[in-house]
């Protein structure tokens, strides 16, 4: 650490000058009162006193004040403050006060952030526990029933084995999504950019989810007939997963005999925006900022009966942000929701 003593020099010079003026005036007054005024004597005395005072004061500043200021820096360095540790030590009290105040503000923000993260961690662990516990206990219950004697009944055996299989499938689904989102958060997205027709991708998703939508009487549709392909530049598989997750959500929370409508519009700067809109129950405004958190559910009681891992929207967010694109949500409670994201267009 370098030492900055410029202001301490000024302090020593001024202090020495005050001492010299006072002492020289006192000597001159005494000589005038008791004897003759000797100007050479007064001059030599003043210079000697000034030099002596300057060095004494500067020494005291360097070895007395500096040691105490350095202790403050050392104490702060124990808290691993890179902003203070890498700066030169200053004995200027105003500068030191500003630096310590800034350090205190930064630490306060850091502590508040840690509190938020700790609260999120507790909530996340509780959600993971609940999501895994429900299918595990379900599977365990059916297996124990079979072991207790239901195994001999062919009808019950098949029925309970099928239900246990559904529980295992949900466990696998949750674990796979957890593994996927963990990789995304570690930056292991591995995007494979290609040119593809986004209309074709959406149609593939519609074909894949048609039976699921039919169970609730929901119609999967485009907002219009797209006669020409709309080519985009992105990872086709990842974007298909995004569209799938959004359409699945629209089916899951859509009202019976409703619709899920997808539209693709041109934006400025060679961008396209894909909108997935439903006329379901909608989302209250206080829930929207947290929709993309892992395991966050708007309906804490009934949402789990619809299945899913609770990670769909979190995965969507990571994929879109991995493409350096934007995700948007608009919803009106009781009328429906619209999720949209941007993509780079190409010829």
């Amino acid at each position: 650490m370098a030492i900055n003593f410029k202001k301490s020099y000024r302090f020593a010079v001024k202090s020495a000058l005050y001492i010299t003026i006072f002492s020289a005036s006192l000597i001159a007054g005494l000589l005038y009162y008791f004897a003759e005024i000797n100007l050479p004597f007064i001059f030599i005395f003043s210079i000697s006193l000034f030099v002596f005072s300057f060095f004494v004061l500067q020494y005291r500043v360097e070895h007395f004040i500096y040691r105490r200021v350095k202790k403050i820096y050392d104490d702060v360095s124990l808290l691993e403050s890179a902003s203070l540790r890498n700066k030169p030590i200053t004995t200027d009290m105003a500068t030191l006060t500003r630096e310590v105040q800034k350090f205190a503000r930064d630490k306060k923000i850091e502590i508040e952030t840690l509190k938020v993260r700790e609260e999120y961690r507790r909530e996340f662990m509780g959600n993971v526990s609940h999501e895994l516990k429900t299918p595990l206990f379900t599977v365990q219950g059916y297996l124990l029933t079979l072991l207790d004697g239901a195994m001999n009944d062919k009808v019950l055996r098949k029925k309970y084995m099928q239900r246990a299989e559904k529980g295992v499938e949900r466990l696998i689904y949750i674990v796979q999504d957890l593994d996927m989102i963990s990789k995304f958060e570690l930056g292991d997205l591995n995007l494979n950019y290609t040119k593809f027709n986004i209309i074709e991708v959406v149609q593939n998703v519609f074909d894949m989810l048609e039976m699921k939508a039919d169970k609730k009487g929901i119609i999967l549709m485009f907002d219009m007939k797209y006669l020409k392909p709309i080519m985009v530049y992105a990872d086709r598989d990842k974007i298909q997963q995004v569209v799938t997750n959004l359409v699945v959500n629209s089916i899951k929370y859509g009202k019976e005999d409703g619709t899920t409508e997808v539209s693709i519009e041109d934006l400025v700067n060679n961008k396209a925006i894909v909108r997935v809109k439903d006329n379901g129950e909608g989302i209250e405004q206080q829930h929207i900022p947290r929709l993309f958190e892992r395991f966050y559910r708007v309906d804490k009681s009934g949402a789990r009966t619809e299945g899913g891992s609770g990670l769909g929207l979190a995965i969507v967010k990571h994929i879109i942000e991995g493409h350096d694109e934007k995700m948007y949500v608009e919803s009106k409670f009781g009328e429906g929701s619209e999720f949209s994201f941007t993509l780079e267009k190409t010829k």
Side-chain angles (χ1 to χ4, degrees):
M1 293 181 179
I3 306 173
N4 178 13
F5 285 118
K6 291 183 180 179
K7 291 196 175 182
S8 66
Y9 285 146
R10 291 200 294 270
F11 166 78
V13 168
K14 288 182 179 179
S15 300
L17 184 61
Y18 295 150
I19 292 171
T20 301
I21 291 173
F22 172 76
S23 300
S25 300
L26 180 63
I27 290 295
L30 291 174
L31 288 175
Y32 176 78
Y33 185 77
F34 292 104
E36 296 182 350
I37 294 180
N38 190 333
L39 291 178
F41 170 77
I42 294 174
F43 178 76
I44 293 172
F45 173 80
S46 300
I47 294 297
S48 302
L49 182 62
F50 177 83
V51 172
F52 174 77
S53 300
F54 172 80
F55 282 107
V56 168
L57 289 168
Q58 183 61 26
Y59 176 83
R60 292 295 290 165
V61 168
E62 293 184 10
H63 292 81
F64 183 78
I65 298 177
Y66 171 73
R67 280 202 303 267
R68 282 155 178 76
V69 171
K70 184 177 183 301
K71 188 176 185 305
I72 294 175
Y73 277 86
D74 292 340
D75 291 342
V76 168
S77 295
L78 292 175
L79 299 175
E80 298 184 356
S81 171
S83 59
L84 275 180
R85 194 190 308 118
N86 297 329
K87 286 186 177 181
I89 295 176
T90 176
T91 55
D92 176 46
M93 292 298 107
T95 302
L96 179 62
T97 300
R98 285 195 300 270
E99 289 182 359
V100 172
Q101 286 176 343
K102 182 179 182 301
F103 168 78
R105 286 195 303 270
D106 292 343
K107 283 299 174 185
K108 183 179 179 182
I109 294 172
E110 185 178 334
I111 290 169
E112 289 174 352
T113 303
L114 288 173
K115 286 180 179 178
V116 171
R117 288 180 179 176
E118 175 62 18
E119 180 65 26
Y120 176 77
R121 185 192 66 82
R122 284 198 298 266
E123 185 175 337
F124 172 70
M125 292 302 294
N127 284 330
V128 170
S129 174
H130 185 93
E131 294 292 340
L132 294 176
K133 180 174 64 178
T134 301
L136 274 174
F137 285 176
T138 300
V139 173
Q140 184 187 42
Y142 287 127
L143 292 178
L144 288 175
T145 303
L146 289 170
L147 291 173
D148 286 342
M151 182 74 72
N152 299 324
D153 188 324
K154 291 184 178 180
V155 177
L156 284 179
R157 182 172 62 196
K158 183 177 181 181
K159 178 181 177 182
Y160 286 178
M161 291 297 290
Q162 286 175 340
R163 291 183 178 179
E165 183 193 15
K166 288 183 179 179
V168 172
E169 284 179 357
R170 187 175 177 197
L171 277 173
I172 293 172
Y173 188 58
I174 292 171
V175 172
Q176 286 177 339
D177 278 358
L178 274 172
D179 180 59
M180 183 185 302
I181 202 168
S182 296
K183 289 179 179 178
F184 288 169
E185 291 180 348
L186 291 173
D188 188 18
L189 198 54
N190 294 327
L191 296 176
N192 180 26
Y193 281 86
T194 57
K195 298 177 182 179
F196 61 92
N197 181 9
I198 187 63
I199 301 294
E200 183 181 312
V201 168
V202 175
Q203 187 60 57
N204 289 342
V205 172
F206 282 175
D207 294 341
M208 182 174 58
L209 298 175
E210 185 177 7
M211 291 181 65
K212 185 179 183 70
D214 284 343
K215 291 180 180 179
K216 293 185 68 173
I218 292 176
I219 300 173
L220 305 179
M221 57 186 289
F222 286 101
D223 66 319
M224 57 178 285
K225 190 171 183 180
Y226 291 92
L227 301 177
K228 296 181 179 180
I230 299 177
M231 305 301 294
V232 296
Y233 186 64
D235 186 311
R236 181 185 178 117
D237 292 337
K238 295 292 192 301
I239 295 302
Q240 181 162 321
Q241 185 175 11
V242 167
V243 177
T244 300
N245 288 2
L246 293 180
V247 174
V248 165
N249 264 17
S250 72
I251 296 172
K252 186 187 301 181
Y253 299 105
K255 65 181 181 181
E256 292 188 2
D257 301 321
T259 59
T260 292
E261 181 182 275
V262 176
S263 62
I264 299 100
E265 301 173 12
D266 288 331
L267 292 178
V268 295
N269 299 325
N270 201 37
K271 296 283 186 179
I273 185 166
V274 181
R275 304 181 188 273
V276 180
K277 184 177 181 181
D278 65 66
N279 56 356
E281 59 192 52
I283 305 165
E284 295 182 25
Q285 291 301 310
Q286 67 266 26
H287 296 297
I288 290 179
R290 300 191 62 189
L291 282 178
F292 297 98
E293 292 181 12
R294 292 174 292 180
F295 294 116
Y296 183 79
R297 296 183 187 270
V298 175
D299 182 1
K300 300 295 184 183
S301 59
R304 289 183 173 88
T305 62
E306 297 287 347
S309 66
L311 296 168
L313 289 179
I315 290 172
V316 165
K317 178 176 179 287
H318 279 288
I319 292 174
I320 295 302
E321 289 182 350
H323 283 80
D324 293 324
E325 299 294 346
K326 301 293 184 181
M327 189 83 205
Y328 305 96
V329 183
E330 293 181 13
S331 185
K332 192 169 183 180
F333 188 66
E335 295 186 10
S337 306
E338 179 183 284
F339 289 81
S340 56
F341 59 92
T342 59
L343 287 175
E344 182 181 347
K345 287 185 65 179
T346 185
K347 293 181 180 179

